[in-house]
Amino acid sequence: MTDRYASFVQTGAGRALVKRLGLPDPPRLRRHTPGDPLVPGPVLLGASSGGRLAEPAGKILTAAGVELADPATATGDSRFAALVYDASGVADSTGLRQLYDFFHPQARSLLPSGRVIVLGTPPVECGSPREATAQRALEGLTRSIGKEFGRGVTAQLVYVTRDGDAGTPVSLESTLRFLLSGRSAYVSGQVVRVGAGTAVAPADWDRPLDGQVVLVTGAARGIGAALAKVLARDGAQVVALDIPAAGDELATVANEIGGSAVQLDLTAPDAPTRLAEHLASRHGRVDVVVHNAGITRDKTLGRMDADRWDSVIDVNLSSQERINDVLLERDLIPAGGRIVSVSSIAGIAGNRGQTNYATSKAGVIGLVDSLSPVLRERGISLNAVAPGFIETRLTARIPLTLREAGRRMNSMAQGGLPVDVAETIGWLSWPASGAVSGNVVRVCGQSLLGA
């Protein structure tokens, strides 16, 4: 689906009209193309006094071929692809002034589609209430920067545990690489938690899923088809699954990526067993399970029949639980495995006429919260993504006024693309992302809904 308004504002007449009337100004976002450098310019790396993360972050960036600028020599004329600041040493509210001193002079120094990343310590791990207060305050800073800097700039807060090996470069690297790259074009204002876990760096960061067997449900079209293509591009052997009615489209996707197709109705009583037997016989395991299959059956609650409620809960939530149970019971997801579920900002903010859908998607977030600590003991990570307004055939059916509101009510002033969701799921699926678990990452351009 084409966003004609966004295309128009890129023209000379469009830019003049936007400037004169103060209309939304959707920027052209930097998205990932294989072979791209991690960032298109130098990165300014700063740190608070006593910070513990600037050194590992610097090692990661240097090894990735990034040019690091010296804060002491940065001037008002300097231009940077990213600003990265280690705030882990901020121990009380007075120390927050150090962030002002770093970001204030550089507020206009970022290139279009620049990146801002603040590194901190999880408040629950802080040694005093004052330190926890200061570290929690970082969320307000990053979310405000994401709304202020404009021009496609994104801003994120990454809390890095003091425990385990998460302070070492390999555990932090996948998150920094994702957030700095064009893969995170439509992700902004997020809080990512990097915990203690085993991370395995790939031989080639352009193919971070080499050798991995990945199951994608709902893979025939839209976000699912984009997922299959991105994961295959990154080296995965993709098992694409969808309902029999979508068999032709599913076969097209599977053939295009050199993967395999499985036609299966996930709501059938024997579906989890049949799926487990297929994966066991064909591959012996599944390294990554992506629960993308989902449906909508919209009506206001007072007018909704029981079938609409039951079918949405069954497909969007209960089927995930049943599949997880069987695959885990049969040890088909090995240590180092990944489970990624697709939620929605409707599960965070709610949505009129979608009580069933919002309930199911909030349940997916509950699944992450409740099951990720259990799976961590088995070396398996569990995360979710929560898309906002994504340009698909489903959103094309939304009435024009509501569609335009969905597109413009975010920091990017535009809808996201299926590839934006796929890239985020790709990052959470990497073996190098083993220290990232229990997160719900919104892919919504920093939507005002649920903010």
Side-chain angles (χ1 to χ4, degrees):
M1 180 171 57
T2 301
D3 185 345
R4 295 180 180 178
Y5 175 84
S7 299
F8 172 69
V9 300
Q10 299 299 329
T11 67
R15 298 213 63 77
L17 188 64
V18 163
K19 185 176 182 180
R20 183 164 66 249
L21 299 181
L23 297 172
D25 187 7
R28 181 169 288 136
L29 303 182
R30 173 171 65 95
R31 289 187 167 93
H32 174 71
T33 300
D36 283 349
L38 186 59
V39 287
V43 172
L44 186 64
L45 176 62
S48 60
S49 57
R52 61 188 169 85
L53 298 169
E55 182 179 355
K59 289 179 180 178
I60 291 168
L61 298 177
T62 300
V66 173
E67 176 190 350
L68 291 181
D70 183 354
T73 61
T75 68
D77 296 327
S78 301
R79 291 294 177 265
F80 304 109
L83 306 175
V84 180
Y85 190 80
D86 172 16
S88 63
V90 177
D92 60 35
S93 59
T94 63
L96 294 169
R97 173 59 188 267
Q98 297 174 83
L99 286 105
Y100 170 87
D101 291 339
F102 177 78
F103 285 109
H104 170 70
Q106 307 304 333
R108 295 175 178 83
S109 70
L110 280 168
L111 296 170
S113 286
R115 302 289 187 255
V116 174
I117 299 175
V118 176
L119 305 173
T121 299
V124 296
E125 294 183 13
C126 290
S128 70
R130 285 180 178 268
E131 182 184 9
T133 298
Q135 291 295 314
R136 177 60 177 79
L138 301 176
E139 294 190 29
L141 172 82
T142 51
R143 288 181 171 134
S144 297
I145 286 175
K147 294 178 179 180
E148 284 187 3
F149 280 19
R151 299 177 305 127
V153 171
T154 66
Q156 329 287 352
L157 172 60
V158 181
Y159 283 132
V160 183
T161 186
R162 286 194 174 109
D163 300 330
D165 63 354
T168 63
V170 69
S171 296
L172 182 59
E173 184 167 8
S174 75
T175 299
L176 281 183
R177 280 182 171 269
F178 170 71
L179 295 177
L180 288 171
S181 74
R183 298 175 190 265
S184 61
Y186 204 60
V187 177
S188 189
Q190 298 306 289
V191 179
V192 176
R193 290 168 175 80
V194 178
T198 301
V200 180
D204 181 357
W205 279 101
D206 279 334
R207 292 180 62 83
L209 286 168
D210 254 347
Q212 300 284 291
V213 177
V214 180
L215 169 69
V216 178
T217 69
R221 60 180 71 91
I223 291 172
L227 262 168
K229 294 172 185 177
V230 165
L231 298 175
R233 179 204 69 194
D234 285 355
Q237 184 176 358
V238 176
V239 180
L241 182 150
D242 216 310
I243 57 175
D248 290 344
E249 293 171 293
L250 183 66
T252 299
V253 171
N255 290 336
E256 181 179 343
I257 64 173
S260 60
V262 176
Q263 297 183 28
L264 185 64
D265 180 353
L266 295 178
T267 64
D270 62 345
T273 299
R274 289 172 57 192
L275 177 59
E277 291 172 350
H278 174 86
L279 292 169
S281 63
R282 295 291 184 89
H283 306 284
R285 71 186 195 285
V286 58
D287 299 294
V288 181
V289 177
V290 181
H291 292 294
N292 169 70
I295 62 171
T296 58
R297 298 290 185 268
D298 296 351
K299 282 286 184 182
T300 56
L301 186 58
R303 300 181 177 214
M304 184 182 299
D305 58 77
D307 285 345
R308 288 176 185 266
W309 178 275
D310 292 341
S311 61
V312 169
I313 298 297
D314 198 20
V315 173
N316 296 3
L317 179 58
S318 300
S319 69
Q320 295 190 22
E321 295 177 307
R322 293 192 296 266
I323 291 170
N324 288 343
D325 287 347
V326 172
L327 295 181
L328 292 168
E329 179 184 326
R330 300 190 181 196
D331 289 325
L332 286 172
I333 306 176
R338 310 276 178 263
I339 301 175
V340 186
S341 294
V342 176
S343 180
S344 168
I345 62 169
I348 297 171
N351 205 8
R352 187 182 186 278
Q354 288 192 317
T355 52
N356 50 0
Y357 183 77
T359 300
S360 70
K361 294 302 186 178
V364 169
I365 295 172
L367 177 68
V368 171
D369 291 342
S370 60
L371 189 56
S372 60
V374 177
L375 294 184
R376 191 176 292 120
E377 298 177 2
R378 298 176 59 164
I380 298 170
S381 73
L382 171 59
N383 297 281
V385 298
F389 187 96
I390 305 297
E391 303 280 359
T392 65
R393 289 191 296 183
L394 288 177
T395 52
R397 299 171 188 165
I398 298 174
L400 177 62
T401 302
L402 292 177
R403 186 165 70 239
E404 283 303 300
R407 282 172 169 159
R408 310 305 164 206
M409 291 178 62
N410 60 73
S411 296
M412 305 297 171
Q414 60 193 284
L417 302 179
V419 71
D420 298 321
V421 182
E423 297 282 16
T424 307
I425 290 174
W427 154 59
L428 295 171
S429 301
W430 296 346
S433 297
V436 181
S437 190
N439 288 269
V440 178
V441 180
R442 292 171 51 153
V443 187
C444 62
Q446 199 177 14
S447 173
L448 299 180
L449 296 176

